[in-house]
Amino acid sequence: MNNCGISRWDSPDKINAALKALTEESIWEVDDDYYENTILKYYDEKCTNSKAIYEEAKEYIPGGVQHNLAFNKPFPVAFRKAEGAYLYDEDGNKYLDFLQAGGPTILGSNYPAIRNAVIELLNECGPVTGLLHKSELLLAKEIHKHMPGVEMFRMLGSGTESVMASLRIARIATGNKRIIKEGGDYHGWSDQMVYGTKIPGSRGLLESHGIPRRLYSLTDEVRPNDLNMLESMLKLNKFRGGTAAVIIEPCGPESGTRPVSKEYNKGVRYLCDKYGALLIFDEVVTGFRTSIGGAQGYFDVTPDLTIFGKIVAGGYPGAGGVGGKKEYAGLMAAGVASGKHRAYVGGTLAAAPISALAGYTCIKEIERNNACEIAGKAGDKLTDGINSLIQQYRLPFVAYNQGSICHLECTGAMSFDFSSFSILKSAVGLLRNKEMMYERKDSMERMGAAYMANGLVTLAGSRLYTSMATTDEVIDDALNRFEEVFKHVVPTDKGLL
């Protein structure tokens, strides 16, 4: 496939075995002397403006920061400039950017062609009109060009909204009630989907505060990469309202943090057809990153509905959308209420010209530059280099990648699985391990702080995104910085039951 970002697909069994071994060891992390006298010293001496901004922000913003990707150990660094593969903070410190805004900037941050198109649009009509704009059509046609299964596309404000819309569509289309998701998947923060988030089998026990239990009554959770469990749930649901949809992240939960077999998605497609459920791919991260045709192009599986976000707005706000076959996507209402049997979705700023044009321009530039393949090769090189360092320093860490989505697990904080048909069994497993899991999470953040102090911006110290701007020079620089951290890693007596 042209413009494909994945050159290899590692065995999930091998990766999961390595992750299991990691969680059975005590925690390995940077030693106390290095952390206290080098890492924390960096923040205290080199990030004074960031600290001042954060301290004042705590008075006006819950937690002192608005974004759930803003790393905050020991405090969040405030950034003022993004350019290509680099970020610059309020104190003038320069960093290698492996967060890439959480994934949307596969061309590199603040890409000139997108910025120039947006500036021209702003000068002509401003960011939003609330009415039809040509850019909406351009984006929808461009998505369909690369993902033929997306016959119609409706742009919304976020991935969370798009998931909500897709579930409503699925229930109308099938007449069924229940939704099955993979444990560990992240499908936004709507009430129904904050269930089994991050840790399979955690159900509504981990991060579901403020959500009445009855709102989960039609949400089911199955073990990732387990077609037998999925079919058993589909069979069970035939007697309790039917399954409207199975929603999955096609590369595995949390952007492949729990990898699946290469044939898994075809197995899910088969089972959905067999039991009359719609298949929903959440391609918020994988869309136009794993390949120009998304994960559905890479796996050669056509879902009934596709969730979009991130790249679909080219790194600009208002990044969300749902698309699919006309018979399903056409069930969404649009414009003035028609009174027909439709899924009501909307948003005053949905499909704002600034977002739609940025997304269209971004996808055109991805195609023109072969960005998925370039970013994917960078991900391969970065991961291979990290694995060499892991072996050199004899660390138990696990590194692997799906193209430009790279994973570096130092503690295995998210590698537990309590999947079960028994609520009691899941709850007991989670509660028994909860303290140790949080200890591992704290250690993961400690490692993330060490990376940041060495000029490496990651997603919470465990995930990295490469982009077209991640050159060999950037990777070599990054590996030298990772080595500086790994030199100070030692085993501890923490992290065991």
Side-chain angles (χ1 to χ4, degrees), residues 85-107:
Y86 300 97
L87 285 169
Y88 302 80
D89 70 17
E90 286 286 347
D91 292 275
N93 301 307
K94 183 178 180 181
Y95 301 79
L96 301 180
D97 180 11
F98 291 107
L99 179 62
Q100 287 296 322
T105 50
I106 193 172
L107 297 166

Short mmCIF file of all heavy atoms in Angstrom, two decimals, residues 85-107:
data_model
loop_
_atom_site.label_atom_id
_atom_site.label_comp_id
_atom_site.label_asym_id
_atom_site.label_seq_id
_atom_site.Cartn_x
_atom_site.Cartn_y
_atom_site.Cartn_z
N ALA A 85 9.68 19.30 14.73
CA ALA A 85 9.92 18.27 15.72
C ALA A 85 10.31 18.85 17.07
O ALA A 85 10.77 18.11 17.96
CB ALA A 85 11.03 17.33 15.24
N TYR A 86 10.11 20.17 17.26
CA TYR A 86 10.61 20.83 18.46
C TYR A 86 9.51 21.62 19.17
O TYR A 86 8.58 22.12 18.56
CB TYR A 86 11.77 21.76 18.12
CG TYR A 86 12.94 21.05 17.49
CD1 TYR A 86 13.10 21.03 16.11
CD2 TYR A 86 13.87 20.37 18.28
CE1 TYR A 86 14.18 20.36 15.53
CE2 TYR A 86 14.95 19.71 17.71
CZ TYR A 86 15.10 19.70 16.34
OH TYR A 86 16.16 19.03 15.76
N LEU A 87 9.68 21.72 20.50
CA LEU A 87 8.86 22.57 21.34
C LEU A 87 9.77 23.48 22.15
O LEU A 87 10.90 23.11 22.49
CB LEU A 87 8.01 21.73 22.30
CG LEU A 87 6.80 20.99 21.73
CD1 LEU A 87 6.27 20.01 22.77
CD2 LEU A 87 5.71 21.97 21.33
N TYR A 88 9.27 24.66 22.48
CA TYR A 88 10.03 25.63 23.28
C TYR A 88 9.15 26.09 24.43
O TYR A 88 8.00 26.48 24.22
CB TYR A 88 10.45 26.83 22.43
CG TYR A 88 11.28 26.45 21.22
CD1 TYR A 88 10.66 25.98 20.06
CD2 TYR A 88 12.67 26.56 21.24
CE1 TYR A 88 11.41 25.62 18.95
CE2 TYR A 88 13.43 26.22 20.13
CZ TYR A 88 12.79 25.74 18.99
OH TYR A 88 13.54 25.39 17.88
N ASP A 89 9.69 26.07 25.66
CA ASP A 89 8.87 26.44 26.81
C ASP A 89 9.00 27.93 27.13
O ASP A 89 9.72 28.67 26.45
CB ASP A 89 9.18 25.55 28.01
CG ASP A 89 10.56 25.79 28.62
OD1 ASP A 89 11.18 26.83 28.35
OD2 ASP A 89 11.02 24.92 29.39
N GLU A 90 8.29 28.35 28.16
CA GLU A 90 8.24 29.77 28.53
C GLU A 90 9.58 30.28 29.05
O GLU A 90 9.77 31.50 29.18
CB GLU A 90 7.15 30.00 29.57
CG GLU A 90 5.74 29.94 29.01
CD GLU A 90 5.37 31.17 28.21
OE1 GLU A 90 6.11 32.17 28.27
OE2 GLU A 90 4.34 31.13 27.51
N ASP A 91 10.48 29.38 29.36
CA ASP A 91 11.82 29.80 29.82
C ASP A 91 12.85 29.72 28.70
O ASP A 91 14.04 29.94 28.94
CB ASP A 91 12.25 28.91 30.99
CG ASP A 91 11.40 29.15 32.23
OD1 ASP A 91 11.72 30.09 32.97
OD2 ASP A 91 10.42 28.42 32.42
N GLY A 92 12.40 29.37 27.48
CA GLY A 92 13.30 29.31 26.34
C GLY A 92 13.99 27.97 26.15
O GLY A 92 14.83 27.83 25.27
N ASN A 93 13.65 26.96 26.98
CA ASN A 93 14.25 25.63 26.82
C ASN A 93 13.67 24.94 25.59
O ASN A 93 12.47 25.04 25.32
CB ASN A 93 13.97 24.79 28.07
CG ASN A 93 14.54 25.42 29.33
OD1 ASN A 93 15.71 25.75 29.39
ND2 ASN A 93 13.69 25.61 30.34
N LYS A 94 14.53 24.22 24.90
CA LYS A 94 14.15 23.53 23.66
C LYS A 94 14.01 22.03 23.93
O LYS A 94 14.84 21.44 24.61
CB LYS A 94 15.21 23.78 22.59
CG LYS A 94 14.91 23.18 21.22
CD LYS A 94 16.03 23.55 20.24
CE LYS A 94 15.79 22.97 18.86
NZ LYS A 94 16.89 23.33 17.92
N TYR A 95 12.97 21.43 23.35
CA TYR A 95 12.68 20.02 23.57
C TYR A 95 12.43 19.30 22.25
O TYR A 95 11.97 19.91 21.28
CB TYR A 95 11.42 19.85 24.44
CG TYR A 95 11.48 20.49 25.80
CD1 TYR A 95 11.27 21.87 25.94
CD2 TYR A 95 11.73 19.74 26.94
CE1 TYR A 95 11.31 22.47 27.19
CE2 TYR A 95 11.76 20.33 28.19
CZ TYR A 95 11.56 21.69 28.32
OH TYR A 95 11.60 22.29 29.55
N LEU A 96 12.71 18.02 22.23
CA LEU A 96 12.31 17.16 21.13
C LEU A 96 10.87 16.73 21.38
O LEU A 96 10.56 16.17 22.44
CB LEU A 96 13.22 15.93 21.04
CG LEU A 96 14.71 16.21 20.83
CD1 LEU A 96 15.49 14.90 20.77
CD2 LEU A 96 14.94 17.02 19.57
N ASP A 97 10.00 16.97 20.41
CA ASP A 97 8.56 16.77 20.61
C ASP A 97 8.12 15.40 20.10
O ASP A 97 7.94 15.19 18.90
CB ASP A 97 7.78 17.87 19.87
CG ASP A 97 6.28 17.73 20.03
OD1 ASP A 97 5.85 16.92 20.87
OD2 ASP A 97 5.55 18.45 19.32
N PHE A 98 7.93 14.46 21.05
CA PHE A 98 7.39 13.15 20.71
C PHE A 98 5.96 12.99 21.23
O PHE A 98 5.44 11.88 21.29
CB PHE A 98 8.29 12.03 21.25
CG PHE A 98 9.61 11.96 20.54
CD1 PHE A 98 10.78 12.38 21.16
CD2 PHE A 98 9.68 11.49 19.24
CE1 PHE A 98 11.99 12.33 20.51
CE2 PHE A 98 10.89 11.43 18.57
CZ PHE A 98 12.06 11.86 19.20
N LEU A 99 5.34 14.11 21.59
CA LEU A 99 3.92 14.11 21.91
C LEU A 99 3.11 14.48 20.67
O LEU A 99 2.07 13.90 20.41
CB LEU A 99 3.62 15.10 23.05
CG LEU A 99 2.16 15.23 23.48
CD1 LEU A 99 1.62 13.90 24.00
CD2 LEU A 99 2.00 16.31 24.53
N GLN A 100 3.64 15.44 19.92
CA GLN A 100 2.98 15.90 18.69
C GLN A 100 1.48 16.14 18.92
O GLN A 100 0.63 15.64 18.19
CB GLN A 100 3.23 14.91 17.55
CG GLN A 100 4.65 14.93 16.99
CD GLN A 100 5.04 16.24 16.32
OE1 GLN A 100 4.24 16.88 15.65
NE2 GLN A 100 6.28 16.67 16.52
N ALA A 101 1.21 16.89 19.99
CA ALA A 101 -0.15 17.29 20.35
C ALA A 101 -1.07 16.11 20.61
O ALA A 101 -2.29 16.22 20.52
CB ALA A 101 -0.74 18.20 19.26
N GLY A 102 -0.49 14.95 20.94
CA GLY A 102 -1.28 13.75 21.17
C GLY A 102 -1.54 12.96 19.91
O GLY A 102 -2.34 12.03 19.92
N GLY A 103 -0.88 13.32 18.80
CA GLY A 103 -0.99 12.54 17.58
C GLY A 103 -1.42 13.24 16.31
O GLY A 103 -1.22 12.72 15.22
N PRO A 104 -2.05 14.44 16.36
CA PRO A 104 -2.60 14.99 15.13
C PRO A 104 -1.61 15.60 14.15
O PRO A 104 -1.94 15.79 12.99
CB PRO A 104 -3.56 16.08 15.63
CG PRO A 104 -3.01 16.48 16.94
CD PRO A 104 -2.44 15.23 17.53
N THR A 105 -0.40 15.91 14.59
CA THR A 105 0.53 16.65 13.74
C THR A 105 1.55 15.70 13.10
O THR A 105 2.75 15.78 13.35
CB THR A 105 1.24 17.76 14.54
OG1 THR A 105 1.77 17.19 15.75
CG2 THR A 105 0.27 18.86 14.91
N ILE A 106 1.09 14.82 12.24
CA ILE A 106 1.99 13.85 11.59
C ILE A 106 2.93 14.53 10.60
O ILE A 106 3.98 13.99 10.25
CB ILE A 106 1.18 12.74 10.90
CG1 ILE A 106 2.10 11.57 10.52
CG2 ILE A 106 0.40 13.27 9.71
CD1 ILE A 106 1.37 10.34 10.02
N LEU A 107 2.59 15.73 10.15
CA LEU A 107 3.48 16.48 9.27
C LEU A 107 4.53 17.25 10.05
O LEU A 107 5.47 17.80 9.47
CB LEU A 107 2.66 17.47 8.42
CG LEU A 107 1.64 16.85 7.45
CD1 LEU A 107 0.68 17.92 6.94
CD2 LEU A 107 2.35 16.18 6.29
#
